[in-house]
Amino acid sequence: MRTALITGITGQDGSYLAELLLEKGYRVVGVVRRSSTTPYERIAHLVDRVELMSADLLDQTSLTDVVHESQPDEIYNLAAQSFVQTSWTQPVLTGEFTALGVTRMLEAMKKAAPKSRFYQASSSEMFGKVVEVPQRETTPFYPRSPYGVAKAYGHWITLNYRESFNLYAVSGILFNHESPRRGLEFVTRKVTDGAARCKLGVSKELRLGNLDARRDWGFAGDYVDAMWRMLQQDEPDDYLVATNETWSVRQLCEEAFAVVDLDYRDYVQHDNKFDRPAEVDLLIGDPVKAREKLGWEPTVRFPELVRMMVDADLARHASAR
């Protein structure tokens, strides 16, 4: 039985990845931060099947101890301060978790399990003010937020440890990926939840930032499969994971409100307070390398994803009544 260690197991990607690995017969160990509460909502159905160990990306010793104790065959570093908007108000904390946290995990692996295989969750936000369309693994980075900058550091330090210490360490440059488990602060979930609330009469408006920003949105369940495939290759390498389709926030609103037979224009309002200090206008990825070398293809298209999320939010609100 292979052992996988997942940081960020309580998040969207961590929960889907844990499900996938359990189905494949792995022993799954999740790293969680010690807290006075236990926010395990996304993995509530898995807690009896996974092992949870306490550590913190800000504390080197705790990470090294967890890696030493669990002796993983694979390490998936998914934990981060992952909300772009928050990175503007908490840039130093974002750097500590999202940038230096990667270095601490790599150090823990180098010291306690150097034969393990390491996956780093890189991000399309590293491309930021894009210099070519679509973006590929070779596209230069131009991050436009503290989050994007921190992710670029994490990406390069992973490559540096691979080349310097001969570690099996790879990065997946994942474009936006969503699901019903996405946090309510993210724009996709904010929109699908807003559509459900407006349909049920709970809300009368939804206030958003830049409606013309365009993103390449996929399904998180598809993307964790790509993560796993990256660690099954003979040689470590970095891969971009995307759908090669781009949609605007306005189109997202149109699709979500159409699911509940509403016109988004009657409810959605632009609010300057949600605009970013430096906007990322267009992200679209070319996953040809992942398709050819990993055999990976997205299975859920954007309209299907939006419907899945709206239906889940409708059901959640209905059950709470």
Side-chain angles (χ1 to χ4, degrees), residues 17-88:
L17 179 61
E19 286 177 348
L20 177 74
L21 296 176
L22 287 169
E23 288 171 7
K24 293 181 180 296
Y26 279 70
R27 168 192 174 221
V28 175
V29 179
V31 176
V32 293
R33 298 174 69 193
R34 193 175 299 280
S35 172
S36 57
T37 60
T38 53
Y40 300 159
E41 178 184 352
R42 295 185 183 94
I43 59 167
H45 60 301
L46 302 176
V47 289
D48 293 334
R49 302 172 60 198
V50 301
E51 300 173 39
L52 299 178
M53 295 186 177
S54 179
D56 196 307
L57 282 184
L58 303 185
D59 180 54
Q60 182 67 66
T61 301
S62 69
L63 296 175
T64 304
D65 287 348
V66 162
V67 174
H68 177 76
E69 185 176 343
S70 60
Q71 283 300 299
D73 299 284
E74 299 170 6
I75 299 171
Y76 296 87
N77 186 43
L78 310 185
Q81 190 300 100
S82 60
F83 188 41
V84 175
Q85 196 71 30
T86 297
S87 78
W88 292 106

Side-chain angles (χ1 to χ4, degrees), residues 233-245:
Q233 305 307 302
D234 292 336
E235 298 296 328
D237 202 356
D238 303 325
Y239 296 88
L240 182 151
V241 181
T243 68
N244 199 31
E245 293 184 359

